[in-house]
Amino acid sequence: MPLIAELKEFTLKKILVIHGPNLHLLGQREKDIYGETTLAEINKQLQDLAKKRGIQLDILQSNHEGDIVDAIGKAKTNQFKAILINPAAYTHTSVAIRDAILAVNLPTVEVHLSNIYAREDFRHNSLIAPVCQGQISGFGVHSYILGLEAAISLINSRS
Ligand code: DQA
């Protein structure tokens, strides 16, 4: 690894961003609910903000619960200081993701593009929110921006 990259790796605080199932289809998927912004555009906005704040972001999108559980489980070993997650449909079903967050014990912020409390009843319950520092829901792409700001202030207040 070049020296500059090595130094950056060493000095920048790292946040793990996880996008759950079907979020790779943003921009095509139920646009009336999720808007027209693609996942690549959201990631670009997150990376721009992280750069301004001196944070390194690693971003994962997966449709597979086990991959998400694996990434969370390794987050501390991989030097992440916080997790920003949109668990998507797993919000409402995944005991495994909830347990992984509990196990790794890193500050975690849950985000949703849509307001899950204004939608179908089955979306009103999040199994993930009770093990997070907080949840941001309903502000479209801005939920991610607010969520990242929250995660950054959590890690800055801890160091
Ligand atoms: C979502 C809300 C979930 O209920 C849904 O399953 C998603 C996206 C959101 O960002 O609004 O896939 O997490």
Side-chain angles (χ1 to χ4, degrees):
M1 197 189 285
L3 185 60
I4 302 276
E6 235 172 281
L7 280 173
K8 267 194 173 174
E9 182 108 303
F10 182 70
T11 49
L12 294 187
K13 287 180 189 159
K14 297 202 311 177
I15 295 180
L16 176 62
V17 178
I18 300 174
H19 304 287
N22 301 310
L23 293 172
H24 63 304
L25 297 175
L26 288 176
Q28 323 166 20
R29 169 191 185 205
E30 297 177 277
K31 289 188 204 174
D32 50 322
I33 297 173
Y34 300 117
E36 306 229 337
T37 312
T38 64
L39 192 62
E41 288 162 350
I42 292 176
N43 289 340
K44 164 90 173 62
Q45 291 189 30
L46 291 174
Q47 290 290 10
D48 288 348
L49 177 60
K51 208 171 176 185
K52 278 191 209 145
R53 301 277 183 270
I55 295 285
Q56 183 186 323
L57 285 193
D58 282 16
I59 302 179
L60 163 78
Q61 189 280 324
S62 178
N63 296 326
H64 305 282
E65 190 176 20
D67 288 347
I68 295 172
V69 170
D70 284 346
I72 295 169
K74 283 187 250 163
K76 219 170 216 169
T77 321
N78 288 338
Q79 309 298 323
F80 290 102
K81 300 293 182 224
I83 299 171
L84 177 69
I85 183 167
N86 182 348
Y90 290 138
T91 306
H92 319 294
T93 63
S94 183
V95 177
I97 292 175
R98 176 190 172 113
D99 284 353
I101 293 169
L102 276 174
V104 82
N105 194 27
L106 282 172
T108 299
V109 178
E110 176 182 323
V111 298
H112 298 283
L113 294 151
S114 63
N115 178 352
I116 58 173
Y117 303 99
R119 299 183 62 195
E120 303 96 320
D121 285 355
F122 70 87
R123 294 188 205 273
H124 295 181
N125 187 40
S126 169
L127 296 184
I128 311 303
V131 298
C132 292
Q133 261 57 41
Q135 182 203 62
I136 298 162
S137 172
F139 299 99
V141 178
H142 208 58
S143 291
Y144 277 98
I145 300 297
L146 294 168
L148 181 56
E149 291 282 20
I152 293 169
S153 77
L154 280 170
I155 60 178
N156 286 339
S157 67
R158 282 175 184 214
S159 57

